[in-house]
Amino acid sequence: MVKACCVINCHTRTHDRHGKRISNGVRFFSFPAWKQHLGSQVSELTKRRRMAWLAAVRRKTITFNNISRNTLVCSRHFHKGKPAYEMLECDPDWVPSLHLGHKEVKATHSGQFNRSARRLQAVTGDHAAPAPLHVAGQMDEAATADDASQMDDTGSNNNVAEQQECHLCSCRRGEINRLLEENRRLKEELAQKRMDEDSFKDDDAKVKYYTGLPCLALLMGVLTQLLPCLPQTGRKLSPFQMLLSTLMRLRLNLPIQHIAYLFSVDRKTVSTTFRDTIGTMFRHLKPLVHWPERHCLQATMPHQFVEAFGNRVAVIVDCFEIRIERASNLKARAQTFSHYKHHHTLKYLIGITPRGSISFISQGWGGRVSDKHVTENSGLLNKLLPGDLVLADRGFDIRDSVGLVCAEVKIPAFTRGRSQLDAKDVEETRRIAHLRVHVERVIGCVRTKYTILNGIVPVSMVLPCQGEDMTFLDKIVTVCSALTNMCPSVVMKP
């Protein structure tokens, strides 16, 4: 029977594979260290354990700050033959308690700890719960009897404490759960700011705000069409982000630098992506600005047009102007200055079908050019068939030009020196104006949907593209018109 606490000073001992000193089958363990650099809770716990070991050993020569690394406690003072993990404060082997040679520290009861561990495992379903304690086989019968007597004395006092979960483990579990919840929330917030496909799912209002398209399905359809021909950006931007950044610039007229910050790329990448993507969109979406066949027009003619003009209306035309920066060349300044807008502009001729879809868009002309000149030289007349009817505003004095292709143009009547119009002219003017206003509504829709057409366009966009006979702004206007055709018509309400 071991009656005294076995504390030795070891200088020449062998070591087992775990680094613990062994001698004649008995293992020896160093006093626990005070870990001050792992947080306040760990520091408090390890300090409390070190003090508990000192109180259990009760050697006058061993103090809190004066413990040699060669001062060891043998395995006979622990139920399992070794100290418990430092975080399991409720474990009987957290402090040596057997065969200490005094009664101030009573032996702990391993059976109660086993029962509490099993109850904890049953409640939590955690298979990693602390393992039941088994007294080492090397303990002699006398030591076992001594343990039993001590367990009877202390069982009732330690029963409540041993059933409680380790306070530090509970705090750590709460902190881990809090961090996991915070991590999940931050991931959701990050996903919303990544500007990728996932951030637009089930949010058509967001799709419409950033792209002008009514839903994500349509946006993904456009992406599928463009995907084989989109340029590569070295994985800086995904194909979806390339299309999205381009549509955001068209839709909101955002500065290049602003978009670069949104997508965490450099300014040059955004500028190059915008030009390349617009070129790809122009080639693939241009067919959407389509002049329909006559039988298609007649089959879908709205009844308002049939009542006013039969089924002859082929197109409603008008011009709109986009402001540009003042050029440094004096001749270019003179050609682009618009007396109507009092600004340097480019003028575009637009034609829509009676149902409101854009069927024709011209290239840009200097703001000084008349509407008549644009109409006669834009290629619109080549699309008219004999018997077609064109609705236009008073500025389109194109009767003779349209008459050359055996078509007819309807424009509001002029007073021509008379004080007022005849009743017949008033009625016809009212009919024309009532139907011709649809082209102004479509122009307003395009410019409202894609606000880049409302700002002042830099000179770099009105220069001819390399190897082509059109400007970059011409491509932008065509792309915006094609995208508008994908959306519900402002003329024919669903």
Side-chain angles (χ1 to χ4, degrees):
M1 179 182 299
V2 180
K3 290 296 184 180
C5 176
C6 182
V7 179
I8 66 171
N9 289 325
C10 175
H11 297 282
T12 57
R13 297 285 182 180
T14 59
H15 298 71
D16 66 358
R17 61 188 181 92
H18 297 291
K20 307 303 181 183
R21 298 176 175 87
I22 59 175
S23 176
N24 299 326
V26 179
R27 304 170 67 190
F28 296 90
F29 303 92
S30 303
F31 276 69
W34 181 21
K35 301 178 181 179
Q36 307 178 55
H37 307 293
L38 298 179
S40 60
Q41 293 180 335
V42 175
S43 175
E44 179 184 352
L45 179 67
T46 54
K47 180 180 180 180
R48 189 163 63 249
R49 189 186 194 192
R50 186 177 177 92
M51 294 175 66
W53 276 51
L54 291 174
V57 170
R58 294 191 60 192
R59 293 294 178 89
K60 295 181 179 180
T61 58
I62 303 177
T63 62
F64 186 88
N65 296 318
N66 184 27
I67 301 177
S68 171
R69 43 184 310 193
N70 295 316
T71 301
L72 309 174
V73 178
C74 79
S75 59
R76 293 181 179 272
H77 302 290
F78 302 96
H79 290 278
K80 292 184 294 186
K82 62 179 181 180
Y85 177 50
E86 62 184 12
M87 298 302 170
L88 295 177
E89 189 172 1
C90 57
D91 193 299
D93 284 334
W94 194 68
V95 177
S97 60
L98 302 178
H99 321 305
L100 297 176
H102 58 81
K103 298 298 183 180
E104 283 76 2
V105 177
K106 297 182 179 181
T108 54
H109 190 186
S110 62
Q112 293 178 350
F113 177 76
N114 294 340
R115 290 192 295 272
S116 65
R118 285 194 294 269
R119 284 195 295 269
L120 178 62
Q121 181 177 359
V123 172
T124 61
D126 185 5
H127 299 289
L133 296 176
H134 300 284
V135 180
Q138 295 91 334
M139 294 296 179
D140 54 24
E141 296 179 356
T144 304
D146 189 32
D147 293 345
S149 62
Q150 295 183 24
M151 287 189 292
D152 292 339
D153 295 336
T154 61
S156 59
N157 296 332
N158 297 331
N159 184 43
V160 177
E162 291 180 353
Q163 291 181 7
Q164 296 179 349
E165 186 178 3
C166 174
H167 175 68
L168 180 59
C169 294
S170 177
C171 294
R172 284 189 170 185
R173 183 177 294 107
E175 181 69 9
I176 290 173
N177 292 336
R178 186 189 67 79
L179 292 174
L180 288 175
E181 177 63 23
E182 181 181 359
N183 185 43
R184 183 192 62 78
R185 187 178 67 254
L186 291 176
K187 283 184 176 180
E188 291 180 354
E189 294 177 1
L190 180 61
Q192 292 297 322
K193 297 179 180 180
R194 281 179 177 171
M195 306 300 285
D196 56 10
E197 296 93 328
D198 293 336
S199 64
F200 285 84
K201 284 183 178 179
D202 303 322
D203 195 348
D204 290 342
K206 187 176 181 180
V207 174
K208 186 174 182 179
Y209 175 78
Y210 281 112
T211 69
L213 299 176
C215 61
L216 180 62
L218 185 57
L219 175 61
M220 297 307 294
V222 174
L223 177 62
T224 303
Q225 181 70 19
L226 304 178
L227 191 58
C229 300
L230 283 176
Q232 300 296 325
T233 60
R235 295 186 179 179
K236 294 181 179 179
L237 292 174
S238 67
F240 179 85
Q241 290 175 326
M242 294 173 64
L243 177 60
L244 177 62
S245 63
T246 301
L247 291 175
M248 288 173 60
R249 179 148 168 74
L250 295 178
R251 168 76 167 158
L252 305 173
N253 196 22
L254 296 176
I256 293 291
Q257 188 62 59
H258 182 78
I259 298 177
Y261 287 140
L262 287 178
F263 289 89
S264 302
V265 295
D266 58 273
R267 191 178 190 278
K268 183 178 180 181
T269 298
V270 176
S271 179
T272 304
T273 299
F274 179 69
R275 280 192 166 270
D276 294 343
T277 306
I278 285 292
T280 303
M281 294 177 71
F282 173 76
R283 292 190 297 271
H284 286 79
L285 302 183
K286 183 180 179 181
L288 294 179
V289 182
H290 171 67
W291 188 282
E293 299 292 337
R294 172 178 280 182
H295 68 274
C296 296
L297 285 171
Q298 294 176 349
T300 59
M301 188 74 64
H303 67 89
Q304 300 95 332
F305 289 84
V306 175
E307 294 172 359
F309 304 106
N311 60 0
R312 297 175 53 212
V313 178
V315 67
I316 310 171
V317 298
D318 200 358
C319 286
F320 66 94
E321 298 181 53
I322 300 175
R323 294 181 297 168
I324 63 173
E325 291 180 347
R326 188 176 67 169
S328 58
N329 184 278
L330 294 179
K331 182 178 180 181
R333 289 186 193 176
Q335 292 175 340
T336 58
F337 187 79
S338 170
H339 293 281
Y340 177 68
K341 295 290 185 179
H342 302 288
H343 203 281
H344 296 274
T345 65
L346 282 187
K347 179 178 290 188
Y348 288 86
L349 175 67
I350 185 174
I352 69 168
T353 66
R355 296 190 65 86
S357 63
I358 302 173
S359 58
F360 181 84
I361 191 75
S362 72
Q363 294 184 4
W365 294 76
R368 185 178 181 180
V369 177
S370 66
D371 296 344
K372 177 182 178 181
H373 181 83
V374 174
T375 305
E376 292 176 345
N377 294 274
S378 63
L380 175 70
L381 300 180
N382 298 332
K383 296 182 178 294
L384 296 176
L385 298 176
D388 283 345
L389 183 64
V390 180
L391 301 184
D393 198 8
R394 286 190 177 92
F396 286 83
D397 186 15
I398 54 175
R399 293 183 184 273
D400 296 339
S401 303
V402 173
L404 292 176
V405 293
C406 300
E408 183 183 359
V409 60
K410 289 285 186 179
I411 61 175
F414 292 92
T415 56
R416 297 185 184 278
R418 296 174 293 177
S419 58
Q420 63 181 11
L421 295 175
D422 297 334
K424 180 181 178 181
D425 292 338
V426 170
E427 181 62 26
E428 184 175 5
T429 298
R430 183 180 294 111
R431 286 190 303 161
I432 296 173
H434 177 68
L435 299 176
R436 195 201 64 81
V437 73
H438 292 321
V439 70
E440 297 179 1
R441 295 175 62 193
V442 172
I443 292 173
C445 176
V446 176
R447 303 190 73 153
T448 301
K449 192 179 293 291
Y450 298 103
T451 58
I452 193 172
L453 305 180
N454 293 330
I456 299 178
V457 177
V459 175
S460 59
M461 287 190 180
V462 300
L463 298 176
C465 296
Q466 185 176 3
E468 300 180 75
D469 60 348
M470 62 172 51
T471 66
F472 186 65
L473 183 58
D474 293 342
K475 295 182 178 181
I476 290 178
V477 173
T478 302
V479 168
C480 292
S481 300
L483 293 172
T484 303
N485 279 347
M486 296 182 182
C487 303
S489 172
V490 296
V491 175
M492 301 302 298
K493 298 295 183 181

